Amino acid sequence: MKNMRTAIYPGSFDPVTLGHLDIIRRAAVMFDRLIVAVMHNQNKTPMFTMEERMDFLRRTTAGLSGVEVDSCGGLLADYAARKNACAIVKGLRAVSDFEYEFQMALANRKLNPALDTMFLMTSAENMYLSSSVVKDIAVHGGSIAGFVPDELMEDIVRRTKKGG
Ligand code: COA
């Protein structure tokens, strides 16, 4: 479709949390197509493989219209251009996220002037949430109920017990 509005929601998703899902649900209704792109953050060593992270995302977004899951190894700005995307969607949790996100948004726009970054304020109950918090709780045997989608809990716990 010629005037289809496509947005990319990028991240490591190691693993996807209810905080990410909240952003996905809210962004999905704003665009015709939302591509959730599992990407590489050079500052992180993921616990879950790319296939696992994509599988988790596919299972939790299966019922959401217009949402696709993909992976990308290169620059986000180039990927967005290939997908004909007009926007990157990011969740903003706290003021501490701002400086880093601002820098990335400006760098991405410099690399791809047709690309804007749209920030959605995280819901209050997810302010403290991150994938690292989930992994830390699971590794130490705590309950991750209320942090990740119910259908993923068992797989995440089993996998973290194996030592990642
Ligand atoms: N709810 C819950 N947690 C959230 C959240 C939300 N709404 N939004 C973000 N988070 C968490 C993430 O899970 C992540 O947790 P972690 O640090 O424990 O893994 C943390 O907040 C930081 O998120 P983010 O800043 O989005 O980092 P990321 O690693 O998930 O994604 C990429 C960063 C992959 C988008 C970025 O590295 C990238 O674009 N890489 C591609 C290469 C590139 O183009 N580089 C140049 C960029 S200018």
Side-chain angles (χ1 to χ4, degrees), residues 48 56 59 138 144 148-161:
F48 298 94
F56 290 165
R59 281 157 57 188
I144 53 171
V148 298
D150 287 348
E151 63 268 35
L152 301 183
M153 265 175 31
E154 216 177 287
D155 283 353
I156 292 173
V157 168
R158 187 174 344 103
R159 186 66 167 71
T160 46
K161 276 190 186 145

Side-chain angles (χ1 to χ4, degrees), residues 9-13 17 19-20 23 39-41 44 74-77 90-91 93 100-101 104 107-108 122 126 129-132:
Y9 179 38
S12 301
F13 303 109
T17 68
H20 296 128
I23 301 291
M39 307 208 62
H40 180 63
N41 182 336
K44 294 178 185 173
L75 272 180
L76 176 57
K90 298 277 322 215
R93 292 167 303 168
Y100 174 67
E101 292 293 351
M104 284 211 292
N108 279 320
T122 192
N126 299 322
L129 200 49
S130 74
S131 299
S132 302

Side-chain angles (χ1 to χ4, degrees), residues 48-77:
F48 298 94
T49 65
M50 179 61 84
E51 288 70 30
E52 285 172 319
R53 288 180 275 155
M54 288 178 72
D55 172 61
F56 290 165
L57 276 163
R58 284 205 176 99
R59 281 157 57 188
T60 47
T61 61
L64 298 177
S65 158
V67 176
E68 296 169 24
V69 178
D70 195 12
S71 65
C72 168
L75 272 180
L76 176 57

